[in-house]
């Protein structure tokens, strides 16, 4: 029997019962299996209706639909690519000036808009302690414009601008380390492939003060060259192999794991599940396994 919950709550077993309320309507423009679509849908279930979304250029700017239509049931402000964090800080300041402390301002940006072009505005907003939640949904390339490499693209991954795979000398940028250096109010990594951890972290981000940052891994079936039905399975493998650890910043400023996979799988299993890593050599896979082990 389908159970419906109008509010988020905890069952006696302590597990999440997520609301049946929807703030992302059906009929949006997301591809089948789009991890980013699912992630915002569930993030808004936790954050609730008093949320304003601020979004730079990215797939999600299209997924929401072109004016005058929108798939979101909460207000949405589109911004230029580089300024989501700055604009979100401004929106929050405007609500504070009106005495409307209760409104959550959510900046929702891709990896290109975060790791690359929006990095300066994130640094500024974090330094000023802007009262916003900034989420980077990371599909590991500029997907909306046709799968170009970003500084979040992992080594070895095929993109249209790195057709033989991103070289191993270019590592994925340590975005959590960069934001941590700004002493944020809350900092974590998450993925909807581990929903309870995801919900808990968005709830904590909502309650925390200051600049809050979540790094969310979100599969892109077209860019990762996987079947859309395997989107969550492959994302879960990123966690289970140690490639994308689920962590949270503790009171001492250290990143500590929140989910310890029951069974650690080889990095090779995660990589071989995706067409974008097809050209990786065994030596390169071994290098990757070694670096995951060190971390
Ligand atoms: C200043 C500027 N440069 C380039 C673009 C074109 N553009 C729009 S979306 C996009 C890709 C965004 O990539 P990412 O932030 O990773 O989000 P994704 O599309 O992967 O969801 C690009 C290059 C733009 N809109 N503005
Ligand atoms: Mg992207």
């Amino acid at each position: 029997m389908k159970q419906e919950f109008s509010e988020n709550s905890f069952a006696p077993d302590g597990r999440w019962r997520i609301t049946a309320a929807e703030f992302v309507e059906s009929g949006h423009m997301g591809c089948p299996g789009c991890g980013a679509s699912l992630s915002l849908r569930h993030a808004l279930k936790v954050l609730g209706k008093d949320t304003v979304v601020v979004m730079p250029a990215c797939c999600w700017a299209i997924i929401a639909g072109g004016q005058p239509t929108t798939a979101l049931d909460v207000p949405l402000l589109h911004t230029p690519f580089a300024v989501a964090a700055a604009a979100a800080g401004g929106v929050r300041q405007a609500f504070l000036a009106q005495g409307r402390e209760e409104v959550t301002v959510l900046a929702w940006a891709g990896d290109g808009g975060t790791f690359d072009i929006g990095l300066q505005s994130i640094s500024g907003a974090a330094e000023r302690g802007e009262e916003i939640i900034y989420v980077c949904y990371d599909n590991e390339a500029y997907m909306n414009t046709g799968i170009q490499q970003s500084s979040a693209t992992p080594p070895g991954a095929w993109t249209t601008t790195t057709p033989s795979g991103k070289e191993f000398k270019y590592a994925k940028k340590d975005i959590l380390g960069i934001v941590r250096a700004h002493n944020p109010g809350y900092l974590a990594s998450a993925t909807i492939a581990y929903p309870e951890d995801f919900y808990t972290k968005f709830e904590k981000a909502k309650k925390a003060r200051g600049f809050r940052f979540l790094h969310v891994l979100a599969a892109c079936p077209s860019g990762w060259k996987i079947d859309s039905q395997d989107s969550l399975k492959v994302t879960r493998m990123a966690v289970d192999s140690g490639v994308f650890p689920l962590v949270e910043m503790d009171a001492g400023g250290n990143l500590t794991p929140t989910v310890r996979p029951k069974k650690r799988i080889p990095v090779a299993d995660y990589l071989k599940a995706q067409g974008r890593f097809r050209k990786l050599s065994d030596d390169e896979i071994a290098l990757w396994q070694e670096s995951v082990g060190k971390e």
Side-chain angles (χ1 to χ4, degrees), residues 104-134:
T104 300
V105 179
L106 171 69
W108 187 264
D111 49 291
T114 301
F115 285 63
D116 296 335
I117 192 166
L119 193 56
Q120 39 65 31
S121 76
I122 295 168
S123 178
E127 185 261 329
R128 293 190 302 276
E130 298 286 1
E131 292 274 340
I132 62 169
I133 303 176
Y134 187 104

Side-chain angles (χ1 to χ4, degrees), residues 83-105:
V83 300
V91 171
R92 173 68 183 171
Q93 295 288 347
F95 278 115
L96 287 181
Q98 293 173 13
R100 297 184 60 195
E101 172 98 18
E102 77 287 358
V103 180
T104 300
V105 179

Side-chain angles (χ1 to χ4, degrees), residues 34 36 56-63 79-82 108-117 136-148 150 152 220:
C34 168
C58 57
C59 280
W60 239 112
I62 305 300
I63 295 168
T79 78
F81 210 170
W108 187 264
D111 49 291
T114 301
F115 285 63
D116 296 335
I117 192 166
C136 170
Y137 72 89
D138 183 3
N139 51 25
E140 303 192 312
Y142 291 80
M143 296 306 184
N144 182 47
T145 36
I147 322 172
Q148 292 86 25
S150 78
C220 168

Side-chain angles (χ1 to χ4, degrees), residues 228-280:
S228 49
Q229 65 192 9
D230 292 335
S231 176
L232 286 177
K233 190 177 86 183
V234 172
T235 316
R236 209 171 296 130
M237 290 168 88
V239 176
D240 295 350
S241 60
V243 168
F244 189 80
L246 294 176
V247 298
E248 185 176 65
M249 192 177 76
D250 64 20
N254 299 309
L255 294 174
T256 54
T258 53
V259 170
R260 290 187 188 276
K262 283 193 191 80
K263 188 173 171 288
R264 192 73 177 255
I265 63 165
V267 170
D269 290 5
Y270 170 62
L271 301 176
K272 288 190 169 156
Q274 304 169 65
R276 65 176 170 154
F277 293 115
R278 205 164 46 86
K279 289 189 176 164
L280 275 187

